[in-house]
Amino acid sequence: MIGIYDCFGYGAGYDVPFDERYKLIKKAGFDCVMLWWSDKFGRGTGYQKDACFARDAGLYIENMHTPVHEQNSLSLDNLEGNSVFQTYLQCVKDCAKYGIPTMVIHLPSDKNPINSLGLERIRKIIDEAETDNIRIAFENLNNLNNLALVLGTFKSPKVGYCYDSCHHYNYASDNDLIKQYGNRLMALHLHDNGGQHNQHQLPFDGHIDWTHVMWEISNVGYQGATSLEPMN
């Protein structure tokens, strides 16, 4: 399957109503879609309806991207930390309610190491996901220590990895993340990289060696959707 992120283009991109947007995605030849599951970045309320809109357009829903604005608070023993914990728990419930098989989570940056409280919260989120038969894919950013900790601690078949090509080249170009976590690959965010402040470009508009990236993905036996995440 070939997929794309539903919120390509912020701001003026939202001028296209989402029920029409999914029809355009289908008409362009895509098979599936990844949903942005938040009212942030100017998305506004009503995003829960997107699951129905996408299916009505004939698209398979590959995954949803959980909110990112509180991600660095996961280990804090305060209201902010509990808020992000409750948000992820709600995303599991929403996946079950709206028939979304996988949710993608940004772990905190490595400037915010995950402590025992953060790990316990993640364990409870995973327990809920296992109960509801939902998969959780943790994405690489500037968080490789936290990513290694979580994927090393939790071996559940419902826990895996979301490979983001642009973040890889920005934050960890010397690390072979696909080789390291390819056996747990659950989702792809493919977009090109023109630098720290010029991310989420269309493939071949930036500096990524796509022949190498796609060979590596193929070589680990990944069988999921090939999904693009352009935003600009």
Side-chain angles (χ1 to χ4, degrees):
M1 292 190 295
I2 305 297
I4 194 168
Y5 181 49
D6 68 347
C7 281
F8 54 87
Y10 290 136
Y14 290 140
D15 292 344
V16 180
F18 271 74
D19 55 343
E20 294 299 321
R21 177 184 294 253
Y22 295 118
K23 294 176 185 176
L24 293 172
I25 290 172
K26 180 66 176 180
K27 185 177 180 179
F30 291 98
D31 307 297
C32 59
V33 69
M34 303 182 292
L35 307 183
W36 169 243
W37 208 254
S38 168
D39 60 358
K40 299 294 192 294
F41 292 124
R43 172 65 179 86
T45 59
Y47 58 88
Q48 296 91 341
K49 298 177 182 177
D50 291 349
C52 293
F53 291 153
R55 290 195 181 95
D56 287 346
L59 292 165
Y60 174 76
I61 299 174
E62 186 196 357
N63 60 57
M64 63 123 97
H65 201 308
T66 62
V68 301
H69 286 76
E70 297 178 305
Q71 63 194 40
N72 287 330
S73 300
L74 180 64
S75 291
L76 298 182
D77 188 9
N78 58 19
L79 292 177
E80 290 183 7
N82 188 60
S83 176
V84 67
F85 170 53
Q86 295 300 327
T87 294
Y88 292 151
L89 282 178
Q90 184 61 51
C91 284
V92 176
K93 296 175 184 176
D94 286 349
C95 279
K97 179 178 180 179
Y98 294 100
I100 303 171
T102 305
M103 54 189 270
V104 174
I105 289 180
H106 282 188
L107 291 169
S109 74
D110 284 340
K111 293 181 180 179
N112 302 272
I114 297 175
N115 59 20
S116 58
L117 175 59
L119 284 176
E120 178 62 15
R121 285 170 170 162
I122 292 172
R123 184 190 64 77
K124 291 178 179 178
I125 294 164
I126 293 170
D127 286 347
E128 184 69 27
E130 290 176 330
T131 298
D132 291 335
N133 196 30
I134 303 301
R135 304 194 307 173
I136 301 177
F138 294 99
E139 180 178 346
N140 61 283
L141 293 97
N142 53 344
N143 60 2
L144 294 195
N145 292 333
N146 284 333
L147 184 66
L149 174 63
V150 170
L151 292 181
T153 301
F154 301 102
K155 301 298 187 179
S156 166
K158 296 299 181 184
V159 175
Y161 172 50
C162 172
Y163 174 70
D164 188 295
S165 58
C166 184
H167 295 161
H168 181 195
Y169 276 72
N170 267 342
Y171 300 121
S173 59
D174 293 334
N175 296 69
D176 193 341
L177 298 178
I178 299 174
K179 182 177 180 180
Q180 185 174 0
Y181 299 121
N183 64 327
R184 302 184 71 181
L185 194 58
M186 289 183 174
L188 296 176
H189 285 176
L190 300 178
H191 48 115
D192 220 326
N193 176 23
Q196 287 279 355
H197 301 289
N198 198 11
Q199 303 185 65
H200 291 276
Q201 297 178 328
L202 287 170
F204 309 109
D205 282 354
H207 308 311
I208 290 177
D209 181 352
W210 288 104
T211 300
H212 177 71
V213 169
M214 300 312 295
W215 180 87
E216 280 209 308
I217 291 171
S218 175
N219 200 43
V220 298
Y222 174 70
Q223 297 294 311
T226 300
S227 292
L228 307 179
E229 198 193 24
M231 293 187 198
N232 303 308

